[in-house]
Amino acid sequence: MAGKAKIAIEQLSWNNAKPAPIVLVSGAEGFLADRATQRIREILRDADASLEVSDLDASSYAPGELLTLASPSLFGEPRLIRVSDVEKCNDEFLLEMLDYAESPDTDTTVVLRHGGGVRGKKLLDTLRAGTGGAVEIVCAELKSDNDKFDFAGNEFRIAGRKIAPSALRSLVQAFSGSGSELANACQQLIADADGDISDRTVEDYYGGRIEATAFKVVDSAVAGRLGDALVTLRHALQSGADPVPIVATFASKLRLMAKLYGERRGSGELAGALGAAPWQIDRARKDLSGWSETGLGNAIEVIAQTDANVKGASRDPIYALERMVNVVASYGRR
């Protein structure tokens, strides 16, 4: 089987984005891609205030648009061409961009936004092999809680602000479903909150959101507090929460607890092996109080059934959710 194409160009994180003749902004995390593109625009604008900025949609591209925009202007202003939907590009764009990459204009920066998928692979492979003097900005999706915790912590470090670890955890939990919402929440606290950011600060700003998260539901259920769990679940659903990520949160929590059952190694040693932060491991160990191996197995089985039910296997997904909460709050006893 053929291996992956060799990557010969510089790959950078979104916060280290820089201009180049061609900049490939890849990955599924759209808000990071937007930030990277904005950073490139600001760098170019700071270097020359006469920068001309143009936008193209690769999915509806008309022949000749790229060359027209990249052609030298009468007064020689630098140009930034932002191209969206490269993962949906039509054949005309693909052919003309491949041709342009052989000899890009020295006064033009072309930013290509590719959100993922196989469409445009020939172009990506060509650029990654070194054609056109490209660089790649990798904007991978923030999938794990650990990724989101690190991202949010970095937001405050960059701004020179201090936030208590427990406050940061609460913030991440409240906005775990969306990287862009988490980023906006961080920026709001940085802009509006005075002094160091504490648990109380986060509670004052986002208390209602925190109380209605899947994490609050699962934490109450795992601890055997059925009433609290059901009330929080109903609050979350009334606030528009999607049942699917709620079930996913239960699954993630119970799987980690199952992996830790009987495990004696320290949290620092286990963190890499389990893909969880040490604080998550410590918390999961505390949550194991009252649980048996059989109970964990039963709960995980019910969670799997509920996952299918909320994805269309049942006509009453809310009943399935409440039954799952009942089983988990009973420590896996059915």
Side-chain angles (χ1 to χ4, degrees), residues 166-248:
S166 56
L168 186 59
R169 287 196 292 271
S170 294
L171 187 64
V172 170
Q173 289 173 357
F175 294 93
S176 63
S178 169
S180 60
E181 288 187 0
L182 175 61
N184 289 337
C186 292
Q187 291 304 314
Q188 182 180 10
L189 286 175
I190 289 167
D192 296 345
D194 296 325
D196 294 348
I197 297 166
S198 64
D199 291 312
R200 179 58 184 270
T201 310
V202 174
E203 180 70 25
D204 287 344
Y205 275 81
Y206 303 117
R209 177 67 179 255
I210 292 169
E211 291 302 323
T213 63
F215 291 93
K216 289 290 183 178
V217 182
V218 72
D219 287 346
S220 296
V222 164
R225 301 194 305 272
L226 176 60
D228 290 345
L230 288 174
V231 168
T232 309
L233 172 65
R234 289 161 187 158
H235 183 191
L237 294 172
Q238 289 168 2
S239 300
D242 185 346
V244 174
I246 292 176
V247 178

Side-chain angles (χ1 to χ4, degrees), residues 37 93 261:
T37 303
F93 174 80
Y261 192 86

Side-chain angles (χ1 to χ4, degrees), residues 217 229-230 232-244 246-247 305-326:
V217 182
L230 288 174
T232 309
L233 172 65
R234 289 161 187 158
H235 183 191
L237 294 172
Q238 289 168 2
S239 300
D242 185 346
V244 174
I246 292 176
V247 178
Q305 294 169 355
T306 307
D307 184 62
N309 288 334
V310 299
K311 291 177 179 177
S314 170
R315 294 182 179 178
D316 193 349
I318 304 305
Y319 170 77
L321 274 174
E322 292 185 345
R323 177 174 176 270
M324 176 189 70
V325 170
N326 270 279

Side-chain angles (χ1 to χ4, degrees), residues 254 257-258 261 288-299 331-333:
L254 270 294
M257 289 169 61
Y261 192 86
L288 280 168
S289 177
W291 283 86
S292 67
E293 188 172 4
T294 300
L296 286 169
N298 289 339
Y331 299 103
R333 292 187 288 273

